[in-house]
């Protein structure tokens, strides 16, 4: 079994988080070059004023031809601790988002307390699963190096503090709500070997519990799109069957162009 060649998490240059290499035409070509057949464009939506940027992305996509199927999605972040996402059925319809991925991007703490950090992450993971507009829980247990550096905290280099009971609880929530768990290269897989081994063990619990998975490079720079292969390797290692790899439940916004494929 070989993992489907998808990449459903990446940032074009529009919101200003990715660099200038992440132009949409370059993204589709680079994804095609590495063997990807379907991608999702998922720029950030953290604040209401970012919404019009997404219209620009969609408009630009509609002018293009692509050698890969392209879906139009969005990455959501909480507006604060125990707050919601800047997203609604109305926004989804108006801007014609085909899917949404989301998750927590901060510890929401001012003092380092590992137990509390994990508890808050877990609570927001569950909250993400419970949101019926969110298809994918992004990068569980990713932490911002910048946040830790700014707060002068030791960075978390191990998955061992995350108790198995929490993971099983999250897996059940994901399964019941149909939320896919993301295998995210940039956040969790492109790291040092010992950490990756622990992370693969962590993911193996979701595999046992029968959740859906999704695959994303989370590329913010064009070269990072090539690393999606690392996520496919993890899927193969875990023996996740193809039917448990999530894909958007709609037709792509851009269908792969047959001419460009040859
Ligand atoms: Zn993210
Ligand atoms: Zn992202």
């Amino acid at each position: 079994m070989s993992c489907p060649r998808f990449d459903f998490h990446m940032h074009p240059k529009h919101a200003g988080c990715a660099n200038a290499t992440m132009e949409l035409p370059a993204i589709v070509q680079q994804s095609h070059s590495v063997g990807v057949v379907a991608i999702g464009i998922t720029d950030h939506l953290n604040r209401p004023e970012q919404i019009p940027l997404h219209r620009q992305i969609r408009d630009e996509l509609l002018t293009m031809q692509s050698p890969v199927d392209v879906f139009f999605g969005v990455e959501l972040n909480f507006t604060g601790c125990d707050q919601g996402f800047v997203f609604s059925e109305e926004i989804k319809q108006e801007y014609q988002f085909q899917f949404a991925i989301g998750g927590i991007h901060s510890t929401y703490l001012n003092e380092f307390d590992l137990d509390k950090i994990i508890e808050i992450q877990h609570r927001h993971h569950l909250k993400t699963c419970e949101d019926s507009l969110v298809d994918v829980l992004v990068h569980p247990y990713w932490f911002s190096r910048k946040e830790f550096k700014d707060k002068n905290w030791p960075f978390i280099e191990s998955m061992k503090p995350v108790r198995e009971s929490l993971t099983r609880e999250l897996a059940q929530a994901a399964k019941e709500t149909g939320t896919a768990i993301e295998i995210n290269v940039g956040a969790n897989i492109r790291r040092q070997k010992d950490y990756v081994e622990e992370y693969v063990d962590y993911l193996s619990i979701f595999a046992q519990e029968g959740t859906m998975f999704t695959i994303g490079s989370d590329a913010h720079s064009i070269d990072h799109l090539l690393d999606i292969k690392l996520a496919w390797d993890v899927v193969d290692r875990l023996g996740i069957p193809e039917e448990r790899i999530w894909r958007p439940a709609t037709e792509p916004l851009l269908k792969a162009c047959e001419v460009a494929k040859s």
Side-chain angles (χ1 to χ4, degrees):
M1 208 280 304
S2 200
C3 175
R5 298 323 200 201
F6 302 151
D7 182 352
F8 291 131
H9 185 161
M10 61 185 68
H11 297 276
K13 63 175 190 177
H14 297 67
C17 189
N19 68 29
T21 61
M22 290 297 276
E23 299 266 10
L24 293 168
I27 286 172
V28 297
Q29 290 305 329
Q30 182 85 319
S31 296
H32 181 56
S33 78
V34 75
V36 168
V37 298
I39 66 170
I41 302 291
T42 54
D43 215 355
H44 296 285
L45 178 51
N46 304 334
R47 299 179 300 280
E49 61 269 26
Q50 289 174 317
I51 295 178
L53 293 172
H54 291 272
R55 179 157 279 163
Q56 282 176 26
I57 294 168
R58 188 173 184 279
D59 288 348
E60 191 180 330
L61 285 170
L62 289 171
T63 68
M64 289 169 44
Q65 287 204 320
S66 169
V68 298
D69 284 348
V70 182
F71 293 87
F72 176 58
V74 62
E75 180 176 11
L76 307 172
N77 183 12
F78 291 98
T79 54
C81 191
D82 296 314
Q83 302 297 304
F85 296 124
V86 181
F87 205 58
S88 63
E89 191 61 57
E90 291 71 35
I91 291 174
K92 185 177 177 181
Q93 294 301 331
E94 186 179 347
Y95 292 87
Q96 293 172 274
F97 290 112
Q98 297 183 296
F99 69 99
I101 67 179
I104 181 168
H105 290 76
S106 173
T107 64
Y108 297 122
L109 288 173
N110 294 318
E111 300 289 329
F112 185 85
D113 179 331
L114 190 53
D115 289 342
K116 264 194 196 151
I117 289 174
I118 290 169
E119 180 201 316
I120 291 171
Q121 295 294 302
H122 181 63
R123 193 160 83 223
H124 287 78
H125 293 156
L126 293 176
K127 196 172 157 74
T128 305
C129 290
E130 284 155 15
D131 189 324
S132 61
L133 293 173
V134 180
D135 301 285
V136 169
L137 171 64
V138 292
H139 48 62
Y141 296 103
W142 166 82
F143 295 101
S144 159
R145 285 189 187 269
K146 182 176 185 310
E147 180 189 354
F148 277 61
K149 196 162 176 265
D150 289 349
K151 292 176 176 171
N152 231 337
W153 292 353
F155 197 63
I156 299 173
E157 300 285 4
S158 172
M159 285 300 291
K160 288 193 176 131
V162 179
R163 295 194 314 279
E164 187 177 325
S165 57
L166 290 185
T167 308
R168 297 220 181 258
E169 186 186 9
L170 177 59
Q172 281 307 313
K175 203 173 159 183
E176 281 161 22
T177 58
T179 309
I181 298 295
E182 185 181 55
I183 302 174
N184 183 307
V185 175
N188 305 108
I189 301 298
R190 193 176 50 232
R191 288 187 60 173
Q192 55 166 311
K193 198 169 178 291
D194 292 352
Y195 174 86
V196 174
E197 289 305 308
E198 289 181 16
Y199 202 81
V200 172
D201 285 348
Y202 168 73
L203 292 172
S204 73
I205 298 170
F206 294 96
Q208 288 165 19
E209 294 284 342
T211 59
M212 294 292 287
F213 286 89
T214 181
I215 309 148
S217 63
D218 207 352
H220 286 67
S221 181
I222 201 81
D223 293 343
H224 290 164
L225 288 167
L226 304 176
D227 292 337
I228 191 63
K229 289 176 174 173
L230 299 173
W232 300 340
D233 290 345
V234 171
V235 171
D236 286 343
R237 271 184 69 181
L238 292 173
I240 301 165
E242 194 170 341
E243 64 271 17
R244 291 225 334 257
I245 303 294
W246 174 88
R247 57 177 298 152
T250 54
E251 284 295 301
L253 182 69
L254 284 186
K255 268 275 241 188
C257 170
E258 294 301 327
V259 178
K261 258 183 184 169
S262 62

